[in-house]
DNA sequence: TTAAGTTAGAACGGAAGCGAAATGATAATT
DNA sequence: AATTATCATTTCGCTTCCGTTCTAACTTAA
């Protein structure tokens, strides 16, 4: 059971999952970038630069730059909020959803392997 | 139950664990760096640049640079292999062990929360 | 309508990452 | 002894990231 996961198993889960992604040539995201990406896909919209910066306790340029990079990778998209044009609304993409779906499958698979 | 870990829970586990680390100001390691670190601590020694490069399917300079950075952070250490001075033996540190212990605790805690 | 506030992004100098290719040290082979 | 192979690192030109500070665009309030 996952609620009985032990520390050594937890690390093994992280290791094998990460290793599979690296060998797959998945984008080499930083911890911050990954956290931003997961927040965008798991938390209810709308997502703004300011909101993410507050949530992660980082400065706004950190979010802006991460969105630049992940935008180039097509993992996220941006558009102006037309109701308040100071805001930018951060949007999910098909590529980003697929990327996280694949990652989730790897985690599930490795969780099974680790607790077996 | 473990085979009831669903993809959405897996991503939530990753997100909350990552978010806690970011808010804790944990080092902003890349996926590759994290994979290297976990491999060093979970796989039996000795660890070499060449071996890690092969394991992760990356070039040797990638390993060298990651060790430079994680060495500065005191997460790993290096020493020459005296039996074959071409090799470098990569070693664990107290700080690195503590860092991963803390990370493991967070994962365990979040795994409980996610499956509750 | 002018002033104050808010939001995202740009500019800065510096640190660290990349792949590809070259280097220096050491070991093994002939 | 000379050559070849191996190992980790350095170098190159370039990209991305950092924190800090500043700016442009926009909204709200006086």
């Amino acid at each position: 059971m996952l609620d009985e996961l032990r520390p050594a198993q937890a690390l093994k889960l992280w290791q094998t999952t990460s290793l599979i992604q690296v060998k797959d040539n998945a984008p080499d995201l930083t911890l911050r970038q990954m956290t931003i990406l997961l927040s965008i896909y798991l938390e209810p919209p709308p997502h703004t630069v300011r909101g993410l910066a507050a949530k992660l306790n980082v400065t706004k340029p950190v979010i802006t730059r991460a969105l630049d990079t992940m935008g180039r990778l097509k993992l996220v998209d941006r558009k102006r909020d037309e109701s308040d044009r100071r805001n930018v609304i951060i949007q999910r993409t098909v590529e980003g959803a697929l990327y996280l779906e694949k990652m989730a499958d790897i985690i599930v698979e490795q969780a099974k392997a680790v607790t077996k």
Side-chain angles (χ1 to χ4, degrees), chain A:
Chain A
M1 312 236 275
L2 193 59
D3 56 358
E4 289 170 11
L5 188 71
R6 298 166 52 102
Q9 294 176 314
L11 291 181
K12 189 77 191 163
L13 170 62
W14 232 258
Q15 189 222 351
T16 56
T17 298
S18 301
L19 182 57
I20 288 168
Q21 294 180 102
V22 169
K23 292 178 85 169
D24 263 12
N25 284 310
D28 189 33
L29 300 184
T30 65
L31 179 63
R32 285 172 166 188
Q33 291 171 336
M34 179 55 76
T35 306
I36 292 166
L37 186 65
L38 286 166
S39 294
I40 292 167
Y41 281 81
L42 297 184
E43 304 275 330
H47 297 287
T48 63
V49 172
R50 192 188 87 80
L52 288 170
K55 184 178 182 66
L56 273 70
N57 193 33
V58 297
T59 61
K60 285 184 294 181
V62 166
I63 305 296
T64 295
R65 285 185 290 247
L67 295 178
D68 289 343
T69 298
M70 294 192 294
R72 259 177 254 123
L73 294 170
K74 311 275 190 201
L75 296 175
V76 297
D77 203 359
R78 278 190 273 206
K79 75 154 207 262
R80 276 284 157 193
D81 177 357
E82 290 304 332
S83 74
D84 182 342
R85 293 188 43 78
R86 289 172 303 183
N87 292 331
V88 158
I89 301 298
I90 300 153
Q91 298 180 304
R92 302 165 184 167
T93 64
V94 172
E95 291 92 336
L98 285 174
Y99 171 72
L100 288 184
E101 254 179 59
K102 188 169 174 181
M103 176 167 162
D105 289 344
I106 296 171
I107 299 170
V108 168
E109 171 190 297
Q110 295 307 309
K112 273 182 192 152
V114 149
T115 55
K116 194 179 296 175

